Amino acid sequence: MSSILDRQILACRASCKTLATLPKGLHPFAIAWDAQKRRLWVAADCPPGVAGIKACDRGALIALSKAGRVVTRIAPPSGSFHPGDVSAAPGGIFVSDSQNGAVYRLASSGYSLAPVIAPGVGKSGQGSALDADGRKLLVADYSQGVGIVDLETGVRTILPRPDGKPLRGIDGLVRCGTGYYAVYNGSSPGALLAITPSATGLTFEQLASLPDATQLAYDGKRLLIVADSGWATLDKPGFVRTAGATVIAVPLSEDCTPQ
């Protein structure tokens, strides 16, 4: 798990311990485990307008070893960079920019980022998830809706809901089998959604209400969701956090159905 204000990555089993503290000025917003390279990828940022964070122009995509050592620190060659989410799959590492909507793919060399969605095409890039074939990337843009990118052609298509409207307010996003799960926090309370995309649109089902949820992960057996993260109360005057966030576990069957 990541602690944004403390700049820490925590490793938790029966109890939690600090795996790493990010370099000063960088705050871990999202993390993703890369099973192939045995690396933990971190979307580390310093965005403007967030209480407790000193703003800067460029964050970084960071990779940590299992021991918590920084082994990669990378950003696009120019321009601002505010990574807010990252996903890892056998077909690639993808990082999204929360401020300009860009989504980048890490080159196979591990030394450069290539835009999958160019800066300015979207507005606020959030979670992403590669499909089972490794050919299309489902991407949540908080303001514009959930879209799909054909990685061969580079074409992005916003997928409308059955009512024709975009599905806005999606933050975290993961895939299990051919389906996807997402955290919605565009209004209070938030929700855990099951999303089924098609070539021309998407359908979704609300599975549970969640207080102030942000990120989620799939560990092969369960969805793990950070609820009551504190993000919604971060800017409230005089607010003091007295307890840690809750992690909710949702078991999934072999066909990826919630149990």
Side-chain angles (χ1 to χ4, degrees):
M1 295 186 294
S2 57
S3 175
I4 293 176
L5 294 185
D6 295 330
R7 308 196 332 271
Q8 292 182 345
I9 304 295
L10 306 176
C12 300
R13 293 184 184 274
S15 60
C16 296
K17 66 177 183 179
T18 300
L19 176 69
T21 300
L22 295 194
K24 187 176 181 179
L26 291 178
H27 300 258
F29 275 72
I31 57 179
W33 174 248
D34 181 353
Q36 285 190 319
K37 296 183 178 180
R38 312 289 291 177
R39 296 287 185 261
L40 186 69
W41 293 95
V42 183
D45 195 18
C46 43
V50 178
I53 294 178
K54 183 179 180 180
C56 69
D57 289 333
R58 288 169 64 78
L61 176 63
I62 289 176
L64 300 176
S65 68
K66 286 190 69 175
R69 183 173 60 89
V70 175
V71 293
T72 300
R73 177 172 175 170
I74 192 171
S78 61
S80 65
F81 182 46
H82 291 287
D85 214 323
V86 59
S87 64
I93 309 299
F94 299 88
V95 58
S96 59
D97 192 307
S98 65
Q99 303 295 307
N100 63 20
V103 176
Y104 298 92
R105 184 177 194 171
L106 182 70
S108 57
S109 65
Y111 295 113
S112 64
L113 294 171
V116 171
I117 299 175
V121 173
K123 288 188 176 181
S124 180
Q126 302 296 327
S128 63
L130 193 62
D131 74 355
D133 295 329
R135 297 178 179 178
K136 295 182 179 180
L137 186 71
L138 199 71
V139 178
D141 188 291
Y142 204 81
S143 299
Q144 294 185 343
V146 175
I148 196 161
V149 180
D150 186 315
L151 295 176
E152 186 173 324
T153 65
V155 174
R156 182 190 74 145
T157 304
I158 296 294
L159 300 176
R161 309 182 313 191
D163 62 4
K165 298 178 181 180
L167 180 58
R168 298 186 176 98
I170 299 298
D171 196 342
L173 182 67
V174 296
R175 178 179 64 83
C176 180
T178 58
Y180 299 80
Y181 291 94
V183 164
Y184 166 82
N185 54 24
S187 61
S188 182
L192 172 65
L193 304 182
I195 296 176
T196 303
S198 70
T200 57
L202 60 79
T203 57
F204 67 95
E205 177 185 2
Q206 179 173 328
L207 302 177
S209 294
L210 296 172
D212 195 16
T214 52
Q215 295 297 309
L216 79 167
Y218 174 56
D219 70 354
K221 295 181 179 180
R222 305 166 297 176
L223 293 174
L224 299 169
I225 307 160
V226 176
D228 193 20
S229 67
W231 186 253
T233 54
L234 191 64
D235 294 329
K236 289 187 176 180
F239 176 78
V240 178
R241 183 92 190 210
T242 58
T246 301
V247 177
I248 297 174
V250 179
L252 299 181
S253 63
E254 290 186 1
D255 65 355
C256 296
T257 301
Q259 296 179 315

